[in-house]
Each structure stands twice: as structure tokens, then as C-alpha cells.
């Protein structure tokens, strides 16, 4: 939304019906009929912009990481703060701030208007990864935050009850979460926007990513990992197209798993067209053949890491041998590749047996140096069995 004073750098809409996700309404409209920002200027910023020498400037608060809800009607949002000068089109990044978001539950009888309260100062400066401004999510009692610094993306976490306390944040260093932000390690490179979320689309207990790169190529990227910390396997799956502007690139590519039935391989994805375009929604449907065998293997009682290791190592073995994971686990696809039904059933049984072995090793093997080393051995055995019996 824009007017003579400039652009509302952030806003929100309410979706009343998840089955009609593209129909939403603004709940906060100012007296002049414009959309009011969710996060607005404070008194100091308002005074600064009122000075004659700053008449071409504005302050922007960009909330690419989204809102994380930590309890009903209460959440947090990390925002990037910029000073923008329209005279020379400069964008000066100040850092990342934090705002508490509250919701009026009575409006419209479902969920209502949001209000924000900015925390004093900034959480992260420009010489640090901009944690929370790329993506955020809640998993258990922790909030996980991704942030960019140059071309790299870093990961942090904080107890959801302590989001406003900087000293409570921990940073992934490649092997563990630590308190020193200077030791944080990059987990991804060259991505501009996107969202991480949990999905069983490619197997149980997996994490997915949908977003776009920083190369202005309009590619919808998809990624999968057994752990939020990675490693992530990324691939382009779709070219985001424009409506009003078919020439320029598209950006702000985000998934909306809450709005579609991912159990049937469907996913709603949106992206931004260039100004003065708008937001474009597309429903992506993943090709599926038959029923995945993962759904028929009882996984309760096994640790997430064991299951993820088995799936991850199986994927690596298939990729190295030119065979997709769904081809390995799907009889109809395998018949085309010349692998017989008996080989498929044997491969599935090997995975089931390996999971049982892994569980036994976790409980009884006292000579293994660590749980992870046991699972690596499991993965190696699983690879050998699958290659031998299913891939020929």
C-alpha cells in the first residue's frame, strides 16, 4: 500500500477460511483509508523524519521472518530496520529489532486485530547475522531463527519464554549450539527469502524448505533435511512467472502448508511481482506414483535421529546410483527400471530390519563411542543391502 507519504513497509491480513486462502482482509485501516503498519515509528524516529533535511527519507521495518506464536494470541516478530532515502534510492540497514505481537481474540468471533510493542534498542547489529529476519519457527520449547550475513545464512535458537533476552540465545557452530555468536557457522549460502517447516511429504520426521536464491532467477527452490541444522539438499522445482511484469524477476517466495493438503502432494506457494505488481499464488502439485512404503513401516519407538539417518543414507545411495528414492520404494516405478517386485520387498524389509537393529544398538551397545557413530554404521550397512538387493 502506498500514498504520497511513501509505502507501508509492513502489514498483515486475516484469512478467515483456510480453504480459501487467497481471500483475506486488512483489519487495520487508518483514518485516511490506508493500511496501517503493524510495526510503526517511535517518537525519536518520527522527530528525525520531521526535520527539513530528512524530508526525502523514511524508516522501514521489514518482517521477512514472520510471526512466531508462543502462546494463544501472543507472539514475536524480528524485523529489519532500514532508513531509505528516495532522493538517491539508498537503503541503510540499521539492524534487527524485536516486537511483541498481541491479538484481540474477540474481533470477528475468530481472531482479531494485531498490535505490536517494540522492544528497546536492537537485538542484532549489521556486523552480526540478522537472526530472525530470514525465517523463524517454534519447535517444542525453542524458537529457531535464521539470519543472513553477506551470502551466508546462520541458525540460532532461544527458549520461547526468553526471546527478548539476548544472553539466552545460542548459535549453531556446525556441531553444537553455543553462546558465542562469533563462532556461528553457515548452514546455507545464496538464498534471499524462504521458509523452513516440518512435513512428511518425503518421509517421516523431515524438514522442508521453500524459497528463492539471491541470484534473481525466479526459481522456486525446494530443500529437504533430517535436521534443522542440515545438511540441506536443495533443488529448483518451478519458475515463478509474473502477471503485470513478465520481464523482471520474482522474489519473496514462500510456502503455505497450512492452506493445502500436503498429504496429497499439494502445496500453495506465493511470490511477489515487481512494483506495481502484487502477490501471486500458485498451487504446486508433486508427482506421486502409488503409495509410499514409508507410511507402512512402524516408526513409533525409534528415535528421530535413527529414522532420519536411515532415510538420509538411503537417499544418498539412490542418488549415487542414479535411482530416485521414490523409485526405490515404489513397485510401479521400479518395474519400469527393471527391478523386480521381490527386490523391492526385500529392500523395504531391510529398512525395517535395520531400524529394529538400530533401536537395539541404542539400548544395549555400551562400546559405541557415540549414538551418531552407531547410526553412521547403520546407514552404511543399509546402503550396502539396498544397493545389493534393489539396485543390482
Amino acid at each position: 500500500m502506498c500514498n504520497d507519504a511513501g509505502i507501508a513497509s509492513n502489514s498483515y491480513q486475516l484469512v478467515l477460511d483456510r480453504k480459501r486462502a487467497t481471500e483475506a482482509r486488512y483489519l487495520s485501516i487508518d483514518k485516511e483509508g490506508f493500511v496501517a503498519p503493524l510495526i510503526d515509528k517511535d517518537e525519536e524516529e518520527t522527530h528525525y523524519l520531521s526535520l527539513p533535511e530528512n524530508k526525502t527519507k523514511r524508516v522501514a521495518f521489514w518482517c521477512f521472518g514472520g510471526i512466531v506464536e508462543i502462546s494463544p494470541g501472543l507472539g514475536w516478530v524480528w524485523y529489519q530496520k532500514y532508513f531509505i532515502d528516495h532522493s538517491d534510492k539508498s537503503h541503510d540497514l540499521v539492524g534487527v529489532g524485536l516486537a511483541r505481537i498481541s491479538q484481540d481474540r474477540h474481533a470477528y468471533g475468530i481472531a482479531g486485530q494485531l498490535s505490536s510493542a517494540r522492544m528497546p534498542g536492537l537485538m542484532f547489529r549489521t556486523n552480526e547475522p540478522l537472526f530472525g529476519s530470514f525465517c523463524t519457527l517454534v519447535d517444542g520449547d525453542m524458537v529457531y531463527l535464521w539470519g543472513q550475513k553477506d551470502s551466508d545464512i546462520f541458525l540460532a535458537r532461544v527458549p520461547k519464554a526468553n526471546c527478548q533476552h539476548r544472553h539466552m540465545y545460542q548459535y549453531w557452530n556446525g556441531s553444537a549450539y553455543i553462546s558465542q555468536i562469533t563462532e556461528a557457522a553457515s548452514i546455507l549460502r545464496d538464498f534471499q527469502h524462504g521458509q523452513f517447516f516440518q512435513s512428511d511429504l518425503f518421509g517421516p520426521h523431515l524438514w522442508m524448505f521453500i524459497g528463492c536464491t539471491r541470484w534473481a532467477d525466479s526459481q522456486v527452490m525446494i530443500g529437504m533435511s533430517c535436521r534443522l541444522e542440515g545438511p540441506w539438499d536443495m533443488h529448483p522445482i518451478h519458475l515463478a512467472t509474473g502477471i503485470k511484469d513478465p520481464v523482471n524477476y520474482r522474489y519473496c517466495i514462500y510456502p503455505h502448508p497450512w492452506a493445502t493438503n500436503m498429504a496429497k502432494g499439494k502445496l500453495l506457494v506465493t511470490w511477489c511481482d515487481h512494483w506495481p505488481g502484487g502477490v501471486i499464488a500458485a498451487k504446486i502439485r508433486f508427482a506421486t506414483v502409488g503409495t509410499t512404503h514409508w507410511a507402512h513401516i512402524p516408526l513409533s519407538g525409534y528415535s528421530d535421529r535413527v529414522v532420519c539417518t536411515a532415510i538420509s543414507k538411503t537417499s544418498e545411495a539412490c542418488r549415487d546410483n542414479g535411482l530416485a528414492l521414490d523409485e526405490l520404494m515404489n513397485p510401479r516405478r521400479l518395474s519400469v527400471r527393471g527391478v523386480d517386485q521381490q527386490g523391492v520387498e526385500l529392500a523395504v524389509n531391510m529398512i525395517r530390519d535395520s531400524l529394529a537393529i538400530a533401536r537395539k544398538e541404542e539400548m544395549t551397545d555400551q562400546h559405541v563411542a557415540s549414538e551418531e557413530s552407531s547410526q553412521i554404521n547403520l546407514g552404511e550397512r543399509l546402503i550396502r543391502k539396498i544397493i545389493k538387493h534393489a539396485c543390482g
Side-chain angles (χ1 to χ4, degrees):
M1 176 68 68
C2 68
N3 51 33
D4 291 340
I7 301 172
S9 61
N10 63 88
S11 61
Y12 68 95
Q13 289 181 301
L14 176 66
V15 176
L16 295 174
D17 185 353
R18 294 191 179 197
K19 295 181 180 179
R20 306 171 71 176
T22 58
E23 298 180 10
R25 66 174 65 175
Y26 288 109
L27 299 185
S28 183
I29 308 295
D30 65 23
K31 61 183 179 181
E32 297 180 354
F34 296 108
V35 175
L38 175 60
I39 300 174
D40 208 350
K41 304 179 293 295
D42 60 22
E43 292 184 2
E44 181 180 353
E45 293 157 348
T46 299
H47 173 71
Y48 173 81
L49 295 176
S50 68
L51 300 177
E53 62 267 28
N54 296 326
K55 64 180 181 179
T56 61
K57 297 180 180 180
R58 68 182 178 95
V59 61
F61 307 103
W62 291 339
C63 311
F64 296 111
I67 299 172
V68 291
E69 188 174 19
I70 59 172
S71 63
L74 181 64
W76 294 97
V77 62
W78 289 257
Y79 59 86
Q80 294 179 9
K81 177 180 175 180
Y82 278 85
F83 279 108
I84 299 175
D85 193 332
H86 292 280
S87 65
D88 59 8
K89 299 182 178 180
S90 62
H91 292 62
D92 294 327
L93 175 64
V94 181
V96 171
L98 177 65
R100 185 196 303 270
I101 305 298
S102 302
Q103 184 179 47
D104 175 10
R105 287 281 174 174
H106 300 291
Y108 297 97
I110 303 175
Q113 187 165 324
L114 302 183
S115 60
S116 68
R118 292 171 58 187
M119 299 296 102
L122 296 170
M123 294 297 293
F124 300 100
R125 297 284 181 175
T126 55
N127 63 334
E128 301 171 318
L130 304 176
F131 287 111
S133 66
F134 181 85
C135 177
T136 57
L137 62 82
V138 176
D139 186 37
D141 293 327
M142 288 287 183
V143 175
Y144 290 83
L145 315 92
W146 288 261
Q148 296 161 304
K149 187 177 188 300
D150 301 323
S151 301
D152 291 295
I153 297 176
F154 300 83
L155 174 61
R157 70 180 186 183
V158 63
K160 65 181 183 181
N162 294 284
C163 293
Q164 70 273 38
H165 301 304
R166 167 70 185 258
H167 69 277
M168 296 296 294
Y169 284 67
Q170 296 178 317
Y171 312 96
W172 180 251
N173 72 347
S175 58
Y177 287 96
I178 59 174
S179 58
Q180 295 82 19
I181 189 172
T182 55
E183 300 298 320
S186 171
I187 66 165
L188 282 173
R189 286 181 57 86
D190 299 328
F191 283 86
Q192 188 68 29
H193 302 122
Q195 181 181 344
F196 300 89
F197 59 101
Q198 196 165 36
S199 172
D200 292 337
L201 184 63
F202 299 118
H205 312 286
L206 298 183
W207 294 94
M208 283 183 61
F209 171 83
I210 294 288
C212 59
T213 70
R214 61 191 294 264
W215 303 120
D217 56 8
S218 302
Q219 290 286 345
V220 178
M221 302 294 295
I222 187 171
M224 186 275 285
S225 176
C226 295
R227 304 175 63 193
L228 287 173
E229 299 82 5
W232 286 88
D233 188 16
M234 298 288 191
H235 300 277
I237 58 169
H238 183 71
L239 182 65
T241 56
I243 295 178
K244 295 184 178 180
D245 185 352
V247 177
N248 283 312
Y249 64 90
R250 261 59 60 187
Y251 56 101
C252 286
I253 298 177
Y254 291 100
H256 304 278
W258 54 269
T260 39
N261 188 349
M262 293 198 66
K264 295 184 178 181
K266 299 177 181 179
L267 179 61
L268 180 69
V269 178
T270 58
W271 55 80
C272 287
D273 213 346
H274 266 260
W275 183 264
V279 176
I280 299 172
K283 185 178 291 186
I284 295 177
R285 182 165 186 172
F286 296 89
T288 57
V289 182
T291 303
T292 173
H293 284 278
W294 295 115
H296 304 298
I297 300 177
L299 300 176
S300 60
Y302 302 107
S303 72
D304 288 353
R305 185 170 294 180
V306 168
V307 175
C308 287
T309 300
I311 296 173
S312 177
K313 294 297 183 181
T314 304
S315 300
E316 293 175 9
C318 294
R319 183 169 61 248
D320 293 343
N321 288 270
L323 189 66
L325 181 59
D326 63 338
E327 291 176 324
L328 173 64
M329 304 307 298
N330 192 287
R332 195 179 306 173
R333 291 284 289 274
L334 278 170
S335 63
V336 177
R337 296 293 295 253
V339 181
D340 61 19
Q341 176 67 24
Q342 184 177 1
V344 177
E345 293 176 354
L346 184 56
V348 174
N349 289 334
M350 289 299 103
I351 293 175
R352 184 182 292 109
D353 293 343
S354 295
L355 289 171
I357 293 171
R359 186 183 184 191
K360 182 178 179 181
E361 287 179 350
E362 281 188 323
M363 295 187 297
T364 63
D365 191 355
Q366 302 298 321
H367 302 288
V368 178
S370 69
E371 181 184 354
E372 285 198 13
S373 65
S374 174
Q375 289 149 6
I376 291 173
N377 292 334
L378 159 69
E380 291 175 350
R381 292 197 304 273
L382 185 59
I383 287 174
R384 288 196 297 269
K385 292 177 180 178
I386 290 176
I387 296 302
K388 178 179 179 181
H389 297 289
C391 298

